[in-house]
């Protein structure tokens, strides 16, 4: 092996090891900082209580935080995935190049908008605009628990539904950009072969583009899910936190996610024990992202093997 190749190999190996070690150290730091608070906790860590104002009487649980975090992310993903797929297919299969390029730039620019802008837009413009839609869904499908009255009724603006729509807009550039890149790499020979056999444009997409790009599409969606799980400022602005009521698994509930809860209560971090409660919540979010990424890798691996 040449000296240059050996040096390059060592550098790349060291970079990979460094990232793994860094992640492990972050997890270890969170665990060590959370242990004192977990030992002082007077209720189950999986309860819905959150009282950390008195460091000598800590009562905190992650049940509601976990539920709201998962619910807002799933609502965002349910909205963003089909829209992103449609945009990616339009840009790669239907739009002429002179239209596709500037349109793609506009979509990509959404990723550069700060989260706080999305939060203000969602609270001051989007929430009042979609309120009639939210009310119609609640009135028409309210017999289904997921669309029933939330824990902040009659407020129907600062809900998980509104937060999910805002998150979906934030996820669009991530999922669309990566999916578009995958679809553009569909082998030309396969597309031309399908067309030569008389396939319509939709049949070409169904038989060549989608099978080739489904693993990348799922991977892009899981990357977007990771982004949604950790969103902080936008959700802190939009979501209304109810007092004395727990999460009921309705899209018209309010509440706080892991990230928004931590960001909204940073004033309590001057006490080490109280801060440990939030670090424990952060540790759960840290582990949750690992679970999501592991699931994404498993799904992508299965689809590649199909």
């Amino acid at each position: 092996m040449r000296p240059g190749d050996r040096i390059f190999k060592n550098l790349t190996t060291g970079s990979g090891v460094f990232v793994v070690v860094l992640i492990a150290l972050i997890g270890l730091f969170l665990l060590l900082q959370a242990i004192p608070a977990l030992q002082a906790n007077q209720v189950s860590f999986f309860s819905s209580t959150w009282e950390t104002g008195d460091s000598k009487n800590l009562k905190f649980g992650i049940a509601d935080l976990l539920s709201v975090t998962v619910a807002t992310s799933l609502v965002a993903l349910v909205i963003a995935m089909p829209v992103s797929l449609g945009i990616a297919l339009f840009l790669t299969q239907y739009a002429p190049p002179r239209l596709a390029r500037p349109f793609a730039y506009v979509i990509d620019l959404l990723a550069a908008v700060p989260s706080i802008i999305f939060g203000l837009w969602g609270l001051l413009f989007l929430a009042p605009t979609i309120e009639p839609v939210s009310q119609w869904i609640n009135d028409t499908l309210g017999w289904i628990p997921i669309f029933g009255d939330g824990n902040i009724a009659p407020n129907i603006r600062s809900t998980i539904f509104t937060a999910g729509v805002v998150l979906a807009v934030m996820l669009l550039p991530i999922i669309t950009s990566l999916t578009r890149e995958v679809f553009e790499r569909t082998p030309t020979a396969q597309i031309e072969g399908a067309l030569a056999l008389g396939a319509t444009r939709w049949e070409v997409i169904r038989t060549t583009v989608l099978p080739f790009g489904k693993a990348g599409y799922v991977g892009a969606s899981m990357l977007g899910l990771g982004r949604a799980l950790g969103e902080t400022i936008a959700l802190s602005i939009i979501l209304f936190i109810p007092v004395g009521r727990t999460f009921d698994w309705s899209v018209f509930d309010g509440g706080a996610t892991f990230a928004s809860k931590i960001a909204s209560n940073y004033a309590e971090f001057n006490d080490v024990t109280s801060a440990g409660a939030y670090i424990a919540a952060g540790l759960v979010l840290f582990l949750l992202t690992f679970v999501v990424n592991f699931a994404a890798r498993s799904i992508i691996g299965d689809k590649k093997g199909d």
Side-chain angles (χ1 to χ4, degrees):
M1 184 180 293
R2 296 178 180 178
D5 292 338
R6 187 180 298 108
I7 293 173
F8 181 74
K9 176 184 177 181
N10 292 335
L11 286 175
T12 53
T13 302
S15 299
V17 172
F18 172 75
V19 171
V20 174
V21 171
L22 182 61
I23 293 175
L25 290 176
I26 292 174
L28 181 61
F29 165 78
L30 293 174
L31 178 61
L32 293 177
Q33 294 294 315
I35 286 176
L38 292 172
Q39 292 175 336
N41 190 14
Q42 298 183 18
V43 297
S44 171
F45 186 57
F46 299 99
S47 67
S48 301
T49 304
W50 194 276
E51 299 175 7
T52 57
D54 184 2
S55 60
K56 297 180 180 180
N57 188 30
L58 285 181
K59 297 178 181 179
F60 63 93
I62 61 165
D64 278 4
L65 298 180
L66 179 60
S67 300
V68 175
T69 299
V70 172
T72 52
S73 299
L74 289 180
V75 170
L77 210 59
V78 167
I79 297 173
M81 284 184 67
V83 175
S84 298
L85 178 62
I87 295 173
L89 289 174
F90 170 74
L91 293 177
T92 57
Q93 306 300 318
Y94 291 99
R98 65 172 179 270
L99 174 63
R101 278 191 291 268
F103 196 84
Y105 293 152
V106 173
I107 296 296
D108 292 342
L109 282 175
L110 285 174
V113 179
S115 297
I116 192 170
I117 302 300
F118 278 113
L120 293 172
W121 169 74
L123 180 66
L124 301 178
F125 175 78
L126 181 66
T129 302
I130 67 172
E131 184 176 9
V133 177
S134 302
Q135 193 64 60
W136 180 86
I137 293 174
N138 181 238
D139 293 339
T140 306
L141 302 175
W143 54 275
I144 303 175
I146 195 174
F147 299 117
D149 290 338
N151 56 14
I152 58 173
N155 178 3
I156 207 164
R157 292 187 178 184
S158 302
T159 61
I160 287 172
F161 179 74
T162 304
V165 175
V166 173
L167 270 182
V169 176
M170 299 174 70
L171 300 186
L172 280 179
I174 299 174
I175 303 177
T176 301
S177 178
L178 295 176
T179 304
R180 186 182 74 243
E181 293 293 329
V182 174
F183 286 168
E184 286 178 344
R185 284 162 174 73
T186 304
T188 305
Q190 294 184 16
I191 296 177
E192 292 177 347
L195 291 172
L197 292 172
T200 63
R201 175 60 65 180
W202 164 242
E203 289 172 337
V204 170
I205 292 173
R206 183 170 56 84
T207 59
T208 62
V209 177
L210 290 179
F212 178 82
K214 61 183 179 181
Y217 173 57
V218 172
S221 301
M222 292 301 101
L223 183 62
L225 177 59
R227 169 75 170 82
L229 290 172
E231 177 52 41
T232 305
I233 300 301
L235 299 187
S236 299
I237 295 174
I238 296 171
L239 287 173
F240 181 83
I241 303 177
V243 178
R245 299 192 64 183
T246 58
F247 180 71
D248 295 327
W249 285 102
S250 168
V251 294
F252 301 114
D253 278 339
T257 64
F258 284 116
S260 66
K261 185 71 172 180
I262 294 170
S264 301
N265 295 272
Y266 67 90
E268 297 184 22
F269 291 0
N270 56 356
D271 185 279
V272 176
T273 307
S274 295
Y278 294 93
I279 293 175
L283 177 61
V284 176
L285 179 60
F286 184 75
L287 296 175
L288 182 61
T289 57
F290 271 98
V291 172
V292 169
N293 281 284
F294 177 78
R297 297 292 297 182
S298 300
I299 293 173
I300 292 173
D302 291 342
K303 290 185 178 294
K304 284 183 177 180
D306 292 342

